[in-house]
Amino acid sequence: MLIKRREFLKISSLAATSLMMPSFLKSMTLDNALEPGHKILVVLQFTGGNDGLNTIIPTKNDIYFRERNNIAVKDSLVLNDEAGINPALSYFKELFDSGELSVLNNVGYPNPDKSHFRSMDIWQSASKSDEYLETGWLGRFLDEECYRCEHPTQALEVDDMLSLASKGQNNKAFAFKDPKRLYQTSQEKYFKSLYDHHHDDETVSYLYQTLGSTINNAGYIFDKSKAKQTDQTYPNSQLGKDFKTVSSLIKSDINTQVYYLSIGSFDTHVNQNDRQQKLFSDINEAVKSFVADMKSNGLFDNILLMTFSEFGRRVAQNASNGTDHGTANQMFFISGRLKKKGILNSLPDLQNLNEGDLIYTEDFRKVYATILKNWLKADSSKVLGWKNGVYDFI
């Protein structure tokens, strides 16, 4: 059977994720819903290194305004006597006031790396700064939960490619951008004809077989995504569309416990405020629609939305009205069932810096351990190798 170059590229694109996860794909054909009230984690990655100091603003700190004379946020929305939030995140202010948002400051890790790629690998794999892992923290969660189990826990990543965070040794998440597009591609006559195709070459034959599994599961995901259409209006941004996809799946009976999304780029070396404001506006409106959707369907208490970025930015602005790569940052947690609300710890100490960078006080792996143990009810020590305790905000 002769394969034309264009057809081969289509096959490769459609099967890219499935080649990473043959055993996991088969489980997705099983229509086994999560039990009512089951906790769901939604991870939102701020790609590019979001500037935390212009996100949660230290409104009474003279050092902040002195070091950022051109880019300091002077019209922040008041959270408490010492802190405000960027005005483009007005809905986050509402969530803060209603006790549905928590902020953890100064999150990072020892010996921080300022490379986008390396620091993101560290965050996604939950490794030490001098440790290189080929699996991610959510992927290892899947490995732990799905070991010899009849119906494995499932995770979905709303992206064209699977991140390191979602790759386990034996189980991996399923990455897709749009359920309908994935399904339509899988239903093309050419692809469906490959399902029964056999080839003497073991690698090529494996490609065809995993492609067949992808075709089956594309239909499964698409059916679930349109099972319960929403009346909620979502913004027309890419993130708005992504959250609408996640919402439609959460409201169906799909067996998915973890959703992973991303937005960027926050690499604001030049004219930071305009770029950050645009990204924050997209996030603000998408999250507002998503939370309203979850609340109207009685699901908000079972949802935990967590945000993170691979690093923060330096305290002082640069000559281009931007900020350069830094270290520690804050994380947001949004849910209807937070045990502790508001600002959970001290704001960054701008008098105690490491060569112009913030010094972390909270290890991100402790955050992961908290989510795994308290929210996903998993053995965090097996997933992370972390035995230094957890937080009590969820």
Side-chain angles (χ1 to χ4, degrees), residues 73-111:
V73 176
K74 300 176 181 178
D75 58 347
S76 63
L77 306 176
V78 176
L79 298 181
N80 60 26
D81 290 341
E82 297 182 345
I85 192 168
N86 192 295
L89 293 172
S90 58
Y91 184 65
F92 282 54
K93 155 72 170 170
E94 293 182 30
L95 291 170
F96 182 93
D97 291 342
S98 61
E100 296 165 331
L101 181 143
S102 295
V103 183
L104 186 66
N105 296 298
N106 313 310
V107 186
Y109 55 89
N111 303 312

Side-chain angles (χ1 to χ4, degrees), residues 246-263:
V246 170
S247 175
S248 67
L249 291 168
I250 289 175
K251 289 186 292 185
S252 76
D253 59 356
I254 195 170
N255 185 17
T256 304
Q257 196 169 5
V258 178
Y259 296 87
Y260 198 101
L261 307 91
S262 62
I263 182 174

Side-chain angles (χ1 to χ4, degrees), residues 21-141:
M21 45 177 289
S23 61
F24 184 59
L25 274 170
K26 294 177 182 177
S27 70
M28 294 198 67
T29 59
L30 301 173
D31 189 2
N32 296 288
L34 293 172
E35 296 178 1
H38 214 90
K39 300 294 190 298
I40 292 172
L41 171 67
V42 180
V43 179
L44 178 57
Q45 172 182 300
F46 291 0
T47 305
N50 175 51
D51 177 28
L53 285 175
N54 274 18
T55 305
I56 297 295
I57 291 88
T59 55
K60 299 297 178 64
N61 195 310
D62 293 338
I63 298 174
Y64 166 77
F65 291 100
R66 184 187 72 215
E67 296 296 321
R68 298 182 167 212
N69 57 306
N70 290 332
I71 68 168
V73 176
K74 300 176 181 178
D75 58 347
S76 63
L77 306 176
V78 176
L79 298 181
N80 60 26
D81 290 341
E82 297 182 345
I85 192 168
N86 192 295
L89 293 172
S90 58
Y91 184 65
F92 282 54
K93 155 72 170 170
E94 293 182 30
L95 291 170
F96 182 93
D97 291 342
S98 61
E100 296 165 331
L101 181 143
S102 295
V103 183
L104 186 66
N105 296 298
N106 313 310
V107 186
Y109 55 89
N111 303 312
D113 195 302
K114 293 186 181 181
S115 160
H116 288 294
F117 304 104
R118 178 60 191 143
S119 192
M120 185 62 81
D121 279 354
I122 291 169
W123 273 85
Q124 291 187 346
S125 66
S127 70
K128 299 176 182 177
S129 59
D130 59 352
E131 181 182 24
Y132 293 81
L133 301 179
E134 295 182 357
T135 59
W137 72 286
L138 293 172
R140 295 196 300 276
F141 160 70

Side-chain angles (χ1 to χ4, degrees), residues 51-234:
D51 177 28
L53 285 175
N54 274 18
T55 305
I56 297 295
I57 291 88
T59 55
K60 299 297 178 64
N61 195 310
D62 293 338
I63 298 174
Y64 166 77
F65 291 100
R66 184 187 72 215
E67 296 296 321
R68 298 182 167 212
N69 57 306
N70 290 332
I71 68 168
V73 176
K74 300 176 181 178
D75 58 347
S76 63
L77 306 176
V78 176
L79 298 181
N80 60 26
D81 290 341
E82 297 182 345
I85 192 168
N86 192 295
L89 293 172
S90 58
Y91 184 65
F92 282 54
K93 155 72 170 170
E94 293 182 30
L95 291 170
F96 182 93
D97 291 342
S98 61
E100 296 165 331
L101 181 143
S102 295
V103 183
L104 186 66
N105 296 298
N106 313 310
V107 186
Y109 55 89
N111 303 312
D113 195 302
K114 293 186 181 181
S115 160
H116 288 294
F117 304 104
R118 178 60 191 143
S119 192
M120 185 62 81
D121 279 354
I122 291 169
W123 273 85
Q124 291 187 346
S125 66
S127 70
K128 299 176 182 177
S129 59
D130 59 352
E131 181 182 24
Y132 293 81
L133 301 179
E134 295 182 357
T135 59
W137 72 286
L138 293 172
R140 295 196 300 276
F141 160 70
L142 291 173
D143 282 344
E144 181 65 28
E145 291 299 297
C146 301
Y147 180 68
R148 291 182 178 176
C149 59
E150 183 178 2
H151 308 306
T153 303
Q154 297 171 16
L156 297 177
E157 184 159 351
V158 187
D159 207 332
D160 292 322
M161 295 296 293
L162 198 65
S163 70
L164 175 60
S166 303
K167 297 177 183 177
Q169 187 67 40
N170 302 306
N171 295 292
K172 297 175 177 65
F174 189 87
F176 65 97
K177 197 66 175 173
D178 175 42
K180 184 176 182 180
R181 186 176 64 189
L182 176 68
Y183 175 71
Q184 289 174 337
T185 302
S186 73
Q187 295 304 298
E188 291 183 13
K189 183 178 180 180
Y190 178 77
F191 294 121
K192 298 198 76 173
S193 70
L194 295 177
Y195 186 79
D196 296 321
H197 181 74
H198 301 282
H199 197 282
D200 292 338
D201 183 274
E202 182 178 352
T203 301
V204 177
S205 180
Y206 176 66
L207 170 64
Y208 289 141
Q209 292 303 313
T210 53
L211 180 61
S213 295
T214 305
I215 290 171
N216 288 339
N217 292 291
Y220 173 69
I221 295 172
F222 179 53
D223 285 343
K224 297 305 179 186
S225 71
K226 62 185 179 69
K228 293 186 178 180
Q229 295 296 314
T230 181
D231 294 330
Q232 179 67 41
T233 300
Y234 281 79

